[in-house]
Every structure is written in structure tokens, then in C-alpha cells.
Amino acid sequence: ASLLLVACDKTPTPSKASDVSADTATQEWSKHGGGDAEQRFSPLRQITPENVDNLGLAWAFDLGVSRGIEATPLVVDGVIYVTATWNKVFALDAKTGALRWQFDPQVDRSKGADLCCDAVNRGVAYSDGKIITGTIDGRLVAVDAKTGTKLWDVITVDQSKPYTITGAPRIVNGKAIIGNGGAEYGVRGYVSAYDINNGEMLWRFYTVPGNPENGFENAAMAKAAETWKGEWWKYGGGGTAWDSMAYDPELDLLYVGVGNGSPWNQSIRSPGGGDNLYLSSIVALRPDTGEYVWHYQTTPGETWDYTATQHMILAELDIDGEPRKVIMQAPKNGFFYVIDRATGELLSAKNYVPVNWASHIDSETGRPVEIPEARWGSKAPYLQLPGPMGGHNWHPMSFNPASGLVYIPVLETPYIYANDEEFSYKEGRWNTGSDSAMGSLPSDLAQFKAVKVAVKGRLLAWDPVRQGPVWQVEHNSPWNGGVLSTAGGVVFQGNADAKLVAYRADNGERLWDFFAQTGIVAPPISYELDGEQYIAVASGWGGVFALVYGGLMPAASDPGVGRLMVFKLGGSAKLSELSKASIQKPTPPPSTADAITVAKGKQLYDSNCVVCHGDHVISSGLIPDLRWSPLLATAEAMQAVVLDGALSSRGMPAFKALLSKEDVGLLRAYIISAANDGLEAK
Ligand code: PQQ
């Protein structure tokens, strides 16, 4: 099937300001998405297209880690709160950057084995003098906002399963709401609510049904179970709510974005099909009880890692001359949805990136019209857009009520979905039912260059009423930062080229940039203190694409120490120079293994190692490049680390339960062969 390309048209349709973004009217940034509506729009207007040229660094704070930083900072009472790798929380004076306190929840680094997508965190929540954060090992922790002293610390997950938390909690009616991740590893997703005063659990809503023999938790689960086949519960089912939520105080509805199926391959998970509710859905719940109200499923029978956990925005739009209260989402599957947020009725949907898995979304049924070849399950491999990275991943978009546009950080990363003929379920481990080696980018150098060009990223200004693009800016690489738009008419986005960039909101003209020394994936925010408007963003290249493909991308950033950077008009501070450790590249041992051994090693590598160490063993630089590892020298040295966990305190867990000595031999042969191939990073 041919790719459906998005046409570019230049007429924006301005629409009304949202009625629900009350919080964004303050001078601070006290909630994750700016307000409950999650518009990521700042009402501040001191910084404009005319003066943004004078924007300069006010101060920067070194976060002391060189892994991905995805956090949205919060600003409350003159203090800015940000999280860094492995859930460290920092509280800084928002004007000067002086450290008030830091808190380390002491996450066991061996939990790294359960992380699909880097040791990241998307930020804290604030409520009633408390800072509340999720942790990678599945806890929810509250500390005193003034002192950083721990108030309570509760476990939110079944610790015998590979659950993780990377998302930011949201606060609704005195409750902290938190989901979790792990749908690549065989978990059953849910969201839970905790009393912010003492951490007591108040309710839990599962997103997929469990074993019917145990009875269903509620009517929504019984209804969902009718859409599943086989013995799905043995595989967890997935549906993790690992990132997005929004809240409408007027309707008193909490919206939760639900993730992909586990395993991805539906023919294993639910043989014979079915919609598999509530995978890839937006689910509306009563925040006081967790009771189900409605759902809209973006991808029925999900089989492509098409999460609907992407950022959701509430707004009021004029549709066919009528003001409508909508929820908007650009999930991984490539379609932009405008949905009535009181009822879940689909108002419109249009592809915002090229897609070749569905021709369109049927406006009557609200369902995608699939292209049959795309349902790869037990059939032939299929080269698809979007791939599992999505047309849009977790990087938040922004809605500007003045321009009426949604600014979306989009990506185009094709992927070959292929059935894993040798699939067997491995308790607690990477279990997608897809052949990861097929999903790897080609290793032939000529083809490889071609793919580099096909992989793209853009900042897309989208008109949600007319459902079409208004302007777009092409980036050098797909994995760029979240977005902020302001009443001053400026759009801010960081990128993989290590720059924070300002664009005109109405036409995308590039107005200003600042070199941050390392890539930016986190979203910027804005706040005002003593009459001055500030823009804050954390640098720190990372996240899933950075780890897997970062080393292959042209112009992808060098890793470097992450920082919180704060800008204001006339700011003149300078970043200190990063001291770059030069990478030692010792001559690898000679490659003596035969082609079959190397191919078996690649298979093992692609299903156990690639998500951290990088495609073709080319590291992003965030994690040691195995091709230059001294451990390659002997099989025993490698076994001590891979099987026995000699480096587990540094985040390299033991794989004894999964790999044998013989496997390590195959892996070693493949890595040595890759080292001798000399594929150059970038
Ligand atoms: N996390 C990132 C990231 O931080 O860069 C990107 C992704 C995740 C994905 O693309 C995912 O599909 C994903 N899936 C789950 C899951 O299925 O439970 C969790 C996470 C996560 O928690 O970070 C990601």
C-alpha cells in the first residue's frame, strides 16, 4: 500500500480559548501540563517574536547525570522542582537557581532490566505543600515541598512483576493518580489513586481484564473480557497507562491514556482477534471512585505497539458553528483525534503523519479502516509507518487558544513488523512476539544511508478544526523535545541538535536558538517572578529512540550532563564547557566466528540488549558502546557481567535467568563481529 502523505495548507482557523485551563492563568506552573486541561500554553506575553532575540540564559543547574531527562519542571511559590535520571528530585530557587534541597528515593539500579525506554521520569506533582513523585521501582513518594523531608512512601505495584513508573502523577480532588509501565514485559496495566495526606490507596482501575476465573473487578472489566480471546491473562495483556492524563473539573472526569497490548502480536495474545478493550484507548473515569464512564479506542485489536498514552489536551473548539468541549490526542498510530469529552463520541480524525496501516477512520463507526497486509500477526512481514516509536511519542504537544493550533513534535520511523516464529513466553521479560531482528535498521551501508534519510522528525502546527497542517519545520533527526506555546505568540521546542529554538506561533519562522551542548527531549515551561517572564527547560538527551537508534542518527546529539536551563530577556549567563571524555576504541579481538554463529548472536542481542545498547551495537553514547568494551577480551569476563551481574550497581542487571553461557558466547561473537565491521556512529 502506498503511503498517504499529508498535504500542506496555510490557512489557520482560530478558535476560542478553552474554558478549563484555569490554572494556566496564574504566573506559575504548578501542574504537569500547565493546568488540568494540559494545554501547555502559558498566558504570559512579555516574550514576543519581536524581542525573543534578547532571550538569554538567566541561570543553569547541573543535574549531575548524563542520561535522558524528560521532566516537566513545576514552579510553585518561587521554587522550581525538577526530576533527573533514577528519580532524583531537585528543588531550586526559581529566580537564582540556588539549590534548596535534593531528594534521592534510592532506586535499585537493577530495576534497569525492567525498563523498556531509559531510566527516565517525566516530573513531580505538587499539592498542599507536598511534592509527589513516582519511582522506577513502582513507588509513590511524597516529600515536604519546603524541606525535601520524606512524608510517606508507598508501593503501587506487584513487585514480583516488571512494573516501572516513568510518568508524572496528577492531582485530582486531593488524590494523587498514578499509572505504570511494562507492557513489553507482560504486565496488566492499571491506574490507582492515593490520598495525598497519607499515601493510602483509594481505588484502582485495571485497563484490561484478568483471568475470568478470579471474577471481574467491575462491569467495565466484564464488558472488556468479551472482546478478548484465548488465555490473554497469562501474558498480562498490557494496556499500561504510563504517561498521559487530563482532568475536567466541570464534568468531573479524569481521562487516562492506555497503552499497547502485551505481547504486541495479537495472534499470540488474543488468537482469533477481538478489539481487546481497553488497549490503545482514552478511558474517562470518575476521579473519586475510579468508576468507568466512557472509552474511545483508537486502535481496536492493537498489534503494533500503538499506545494511546500520548499527551491529551482539553479545549473548547468551534465545530460546525457550535462550541464543543473536546479532548484531542495524536497517539502513536498516526491519526489526530478530536473527541467530545463528555461522551467519547468521535468528532473527527485525520492522519497527521504518513500512515499505511489504515486508509482512514470511518466517521460513522469511529473505527480505523485497516489495510489487511498490515495485520502482520502470523502473516508476512510488513514495512509500516508509523512504527513502534509512533507518529508522536511521549513528548508533549501544545495548544495555543489564540492561534487555534496544536503544535505536535512528530516523527517518521518506518519499521518492519514480523512474526517471531520461535516465540515462547518468558516470565517477566521482553515479550513482544515480533522478530526484533527484522525491526533492526539494515546493516548494509548503502541501504543504511537510505534509511537514515527516511527517518524524520518535524514540528507540526496542526489545525484541529479543519484537521490539517498549517506549517511544519523539518528537523535533522526524529527524536526532539516537547513543546510550549505562549500568549506572546512564541512556540518553544528543544531538539536533538542540542538547541532550544523559538518559532513564530502563526507561521513557524525560526526566531532564536540557544546551544545546550546536549540534546533536549523534555518540554519547556514558562513562569513569571517579580515582573519577569522566564522560560525553563531541562537538557539531557535520552529516551527510547536515543538509546536504540541514537548512535545511528546524523546530527543526533552527543550525550552530556543534563541541566535545568532558565532563560529571560537580557539574560547573559553562560553554560560551562562540557568536558568530553574521549571514547577509547581499543582494537577488538579478531572476528573468527562463522556467519551462523554471528546471526544467532544478533538474534539474542536484538531481543535482550538492543533497547539499551543500540541497534547494530552502536551506542547512543548514553550507555557504554559494547564494541569497545574490555570485557570482550575473554568469555569469562563477559559472563561475570552478563550472567552474574558484576556491574548491576551501575544499571547492568544479571541476565542469568534468561541467558546461558553458550548464549553469552554467541553474543560475544556478534559484538566482536560488529566491532570489526566498524560501522561508524552517525
Ligand atoms: N517511554 C519512552 C521514552 O521515555 O522515551 C518511549 C516509550 C516509553 C514508548 O515508546 C513506549 O511504548 C513505552 N511503553 C511503555 C509500556 O508499554 O508500558 C512504557 C514506557 C515508559 O514507561 O517509558 C514507554
Side-chain angles (χ1 to χ4, degrees), residues 132-152:
I132 300 170
T133 188
T135 65
I136 284 166
D137 52 6
R139 290 176 287 149
L140 194 66
V141 184
V143 299
D144 184 302
K146 290 235 157 22
T147 61
T149 313
K150 187 153 80 176
L151 300 172
W152 50 259

Side-chain angles (χ1 to χ4, degrees), residues 299-588:
T299 311
E302 194 296 300
T303 191
W304 304 277
D305 190 19
Y306 281 169
T307 60
T309 52
Q310 279 51 53
H311 179 197
M312 301 177 294
I313 292 180
L314 313 186
E316 187 171 303
L317 297 180
D318 270 327
I319 294 178
D320 299 330
E322 254 188 81
R324 302 289 298 250
K325 289 180 191 300
V326 306
I327 181 165
M328 301 185 277
Q329 192 187 43
K332 275 191 184 176
N333 78 10
F335 289 92
F336 189 96
Y337 295 85
V338 179
I339 293 165
D340 181 319
R341 70 169 180 272
T343 61
E345 178 204 349
L346 176 74
L347 299 176
S348 64
K350 186 77 201 286
N351 63 308
Y352 63 92
V353 284
V355 302
N356 70 346
W357 70 277
S359 61
H360 63 285
I361 308 299
D362 185 298
S363 57
E364 290 299 307
T365 62
R367 297 172 69 90
V369 178
E370 282 183 21
I371 289 162
E373 293 80 1
R375 200 158 269 285
W376 53 284
S378 51
K379 297 193 255 176
Y382 188 69
L383 173 65
Q384 187 156 318
L385 268 171
M389 299 283 162
H392 168 217
N393 204 295
W394 64 270
H395 316 84
M397 50 192 200
S398 169
F399 172 68
N400 183 328
S403 70
L405 301 180
V406 181
Y407 304 95
I408 320 169
V410 303
L411 42 152
E412 271 179 44
T413 52
Y415 186 85
I416 298 173
Y417 291 93
N419 183 27
D420 178 358
E421 313 249 331
E422 283 157 32
F423 176 81
S424 67
Y425 185 71
K426 299 178 215 75
E427 182 66 36
R429 300 299 357 132
W430 190 259
N431 277 305
T432 63
S434 75
D435 182 342
S436 312
M438 286 294 281
S440 158
L441 293 173
S443 61
D444 170 81
L445 271 179
Q447 277 187 54
F448 178 62
K449 285 199 175 116
V451 171
K452 276 192 193 182
V453 221
V455 177
K456 294 180 192 161
R458 282 190 294 280
L459 174 60
L460 171 65
W462 185 261
D463 179 345
V465 173
R466 206 179 38 77
Q467 286 280 21
V470 173
W471 55 258
Q472 36 196 328
V473 173
E474 207 64 48
H475 291 311
N476 286 324
S477 187
W479 197 248
N480 300 289
V483 185
L484 166 75
S485 64
T486 70
V490 188
V491 175
F492 291 92
Q493 187 193 23
N495 63 34
D497 300 353
K499 296 211 169 112
L500 176 66
V501 185
Y503 303 92
R504 273 187 79 102
D506 55 359
N507 65 11
E509 184 193 339
R510 187 179 175 120
L511 300 166
W512 169 90
D513 65 41
F514 178 88
F515 181 58
Q517 303 176 349
T518 178
I520 300 173
V521 290
I525 61 154
S526 189
Y527 58 95
E528 187 184 283
L529 274 179
D530 300 334
E532 281 185 302
Q533 183 182 358
Y534 294 86
I535 304 291
V537 70
S539 62
W541 173 241
V544 67
F545 183 90
L547 286 184
V548 183
Y549 301 118
L552 299 171
M553 287 299 114
S557 151
D558 286 328
V561 176
R563 296 178 169 117
L564 181 64
M565 303 182 298
V566 173
F567 301 86
K568 65 174 184 178
L569 293 175
S572 59
K574 298 258 174 304
L575 289 180
S576 52
E577 279 305 310
L578 278 184
S579 55
K580 262 197 201 169
S582 59
I583 301 170
Q584 300 291 320
K585 293 186 180 174
T587 311

Side-chain angles (χ1 to χ4, degrees), residues 70 115-118 120-122 164-167 180-185 187 238-243 259-261 264 305-307 309-310 332 388-390 392-395 479 521 542-546:
E70 299 187 351
L115 281 166
C116 69
C117 305
D118 204 356
V120 290
N121 177 265
R122 299 191 191 88
T164 48
I165 295 178
T166 59
N180 45 52
E184 271 66 48
Y185 296 85
V187 302
T240 42
W242 55 269
D243 192 40
N260 58 280
W264 296 353
D305 190 19
Y306 281 169
T307 60
T309 52
Q310 279 51 53
K332 275 191 184 176
M389 299 283 162
H392 168 217
N393 204 295
W394 64 270
H395 316 84
W479 197 248
V521 290
V544 67
F545 183 90

Side-chain angles (χ1 to χ4, degrees), residues 88-144:
K88 284 194 188 138
V89 186
F90 294 86
L92 310 164
D93 183 301
K95 202 164 171 181
T96 64
L99 179 68
R100 292 282 182 86
W101 53 258
Q102 55 181 305
F103 172 75
D104 182 350
Q106 307 286 347
V107 174
D108 176 359
R109 303 300 191 255
S110 70
K111 263 308 261 188
D114 297 340
L115 281 166
C116 69
C117 305
D118 204 356
V120 290
N121 177 265
R122 299 191 191 88
V124 297
Y126 171 86
S127 181
D128 195 25
K130 298 177 188 67
I131 289 294
I132 300 170
T133 188
T135 65
I136 284 166
D137 52 6
R139 290 176 287 149
L140 194 66
V141 184
V143 299
D144 184 302

